[in-house]
Amino acid sequence: MHSLRRAAAFTGTEIFSPFILATVLLIGVPASTGPGWVWQAVVGVVAVVVIPWGLSLYMAHTGRVSDRFIYHRKQRYVFYGISLISIAAGTAILLIAPAAAATKSIIIVMLLAILIIALVNFRLKASAHAGMSAIFGMVIPGLFGPWWVLLSLVVHASVCWSRWYLKKHTVPEIVVGTLIGVLLGAGHLWFVSSL
């Protein structure tokens, strides 16, 4: 039973990490907009995933942070600052270039997510895992249909449970992360539906 729990916790934290779920969204949303989506997905994935993920791995490898998910709240400030610069640059490129409105919306959601979580981090270590899985849970059914709500619920529940089980976040930190993600995901859906 213990090994089953560990496998479930690994899945919720590693397989459904914010970087993986963001990659799915940053490819899925542009792909749903029609031809010419590949360059938009590349810009989004490099700015939101490749640079921040590489940074977290580098910081963990050099001992500047506790682990690649940066467990300690006070160690997150440099990561958030550099990640915000990277995501803001990607957002600026997509806003200036002739990118699809839905693609512009999803990268703005990513920018707002990291900005809000970074600001909340001064008081509470909001779960970025819960936030991103909530955004994923809101957006994926909008892309692929209502049956995907079931998968989204499983992903989000798995993520939240794993972060609690591994003692990486408290229940309030998970709830705050979830609320941030739900609000941002709903904002994206509202914007896309109004096009």
Side-chain angles (χ1 to χ4, degrees), residues 136-152 189:
F136 179 87
M138 297 293 290
V139 174
I140 287 296
L143 284 174
F144 300 116
W147 287 104
W148 285 81
V149 168
L150 298 174
L151 173 68
S152 297
L189 291 177

Side-chain angles (χ1 to χ4, degrees), residues 78-193:
V78 170
F79 172 77
Y80 284 146
I82 296 171
S83 294
L84 278 167
I85 292 168
S86 174
I87 298 168
T91 302
I93 290 168
L94 289 172
L95 288 177
I96 293 167
T103 302
K104 292 177 181 186
S105 174
I106 198 67
I107 198 162
I108 288 170
V109 163
M110 301 291 171
L111 179 64
L112 289 173
I114 193 82
L115 178 61
I116 293 167
I117 288 173
L119 291 172
V120 168
N121 192 65
F122 285 106
R123 286 290 202 187
L124 178 81
K125 189 179 70 169
S127 174
H129 276 78
M132 185 54 66
S133 67
I135 293 169
F136 179 87
M138 297 293 290
V139 174
I140 287 296
L143 284 174
F144 300 116
W147 287 104
W148 285 81
V149 168
L150 298 174
L151 173 68
S152 297
L153 289 172
V154 168
V155 168
H156 185 66
S158 170
V159 166
C160 292
W161 176 83
S162 73
R163 302 311 286 161
W164 172 82
Y165 176 78
L166 295 171
K167 296 180 175 45
K168 300 297 184 181
H169 286 286
T170 63
V171 171
E173 292 168 347
I174 292 167
V175 169
V176 169
T178 297
L179 290 174
I180 292 167
V182 165
L183 291 172
L184 290 172
H188 172 76
L189 291 177
W190 172 82
F191 175 77
V192 170
S193 71

